[in-house]
Amino acid sequence: MTSTLECRELWTSFGGNRVHRGISISMRGGEITGLIGPNGCGKSTLLNVITGAVRPDSGQIILNDRDLTGMPPWRRYRTGLTRSFQNLELFEQLTVRDNLRVALGGDKDKIAAALAQARLEKQAGRLPGELAFGQRKALSLARLYGRSASAVLLDEPAAGLSHDEVEPVLSIARSLAAAGAVVCLVEHNMQIMAGYAAVVHLMAEGTIIASGPPAELMADAKLAEIFFGTGGR
């Protein structure tokens, strides 16, 4: 089944500080949806609102026609909604294989598939602390592979990675999308978005100011100069 996730007119504030101003986004499985914008514009907070860690002032979160608004995080998780964090949250005393075993319920086929997807077959018996940073990132995302997730929210999974390390990590995101899950990729690098996302939503000051294919947004001279530093090139 191909999933859908909608944010409908989300308004969020902390005290007197307005973080979101009527955000509406539709995302669908089968493709990666990008979310990009300057620091402090509300991207990570939006992921927290979607997963239930932060309660919005108003608006709705709809996953596969099911209203998640007001649902606690653990119930949202049971609907297949999950996310990654910038902190990797690995079990440092467990091997790579055992990290996946915890996440995937001991299913040997799923564990083997996740190891292959993350290109970690040769590291299966090692501890996370023995891996390169890119491999640790891949392990973090590989725990989502095989979970039959409905929606996966990825908070800057490519941060700190070299060019060669990005592909093994984001290939997992592609596979999750291809399996029908909604995949929302939060990222600062528009070149990465251009390589992986079908649609990108550009956030600024708590609202969506532009949406479309990455190439279309980058071709807009004003957006390119302000947000991407390309001057439309």
Side-chain angles (χ1 to χ4, degrees):
M1 182 186 79
T2 300
S3 294
T4 58
L5 177 65
E6 292 182 74
C7 301
R8 298 179 181 173
E9 283 292 319
L10 289 174
W11 292 77
T12 310
S13 60
F14 297 125
N17 180 31
R18 183 74 73 182
V19 180
H20 297 144
R21 303 172 183 273
I23 288 181
S24 294
I25 301 176
S26 294
M27 295 176 267
R28 64 183 183 183
E31 63 186 24
I32 294 176
T33 299
L35 186 63
I36 194 168
N39 287 331
C41 72
K43 301 185 302 297
S44 293
T45 300
L46 180 59
L47 301 193
N48 289 335
V49 168
I50 293 172
T51 56
V54 170
R55 184 183 295 274
D57 301 327
S58 61
Q60 290 180 293
I61 305 294
I62 308 295
L63 176 62
N64 295 330
D65 297 321
R66 184 176 183 181
D67 191 345
L68 305 187
T69 312
M71 219 182 253
W74 65 268
R75 286 192 61 195
R76 299 187 196 206
Y77 181 81
R78 287 188 175 180
T79 69
L81 174 63
T82 188
R83 69 166 292 182
S84 71
F85 293 87
Q86 293 181 37
N87 294 326
L88 300 183
E89 307 292 344
L90 299 173
F91 294 106
E92 298 292 346
Q93 302 306 313
L94 299 181
T95 65
V96 168
R97 180 181 287 107
D98 285 341
N99 266 270
L100 294 173
R101 181 175 289 119
V102 170
L104 302 177
D107 188 307
K108 292 183 179 180
D109 291 336
K110 287 184 178 180
I111 292 169
L115 285 169
Q117 185 66 42
R119 305 176 195 178
L120 290 174
E121 300 102 314
K122 294 181 180 180
Q123 287 76 34
R126 301 178 69 182
L127 295 175
E130 300 173 310
L131 303 179
F133 183 63
Q135 292 174 321
R136 287 170 60 85
K137 283 260 189 173
L139 174 59
S140 179
L141 292 194
R143 294 178 303 180
L144 306 177
Y145 190 76
R147 273 204 63 242
S148 300
S150 298
V152 180
L153 313 178
L154 304 178
D155 196 357
E156 298 188 39
L161 300 185
S162 68
H163 181 270
D164 292 339
E165 291 174 320
V166 169
E167 172 58 25
V169 171
L170 290 188
S171 68
I172 299 172
R174 276 181 173 155
S175 296
L176 291 165
V182 168
V183 175
C184 179
L185 173 63
V186 172
E187 184 51 63
H188 284 288
N189 189 323
M190 194 62 180
Q191 296 301 325
I192 289 177
M193 289 294 195
Y196 292 89
V199 177
V200 173
H201 300 282
L202 178 58
M203 283 187 69
E205 298 181 353
T207 190
I208 304 297
I209 66 167
S211 299
E216 182 179 298
L217 296 185
M218 293 178 74
D220 184 307
K222 183 177 179 181
L223 294 176
E225 180 64 30
I226 295 173
F227 294 100
F228 315 133
T230 64
R233 293 189 299 272

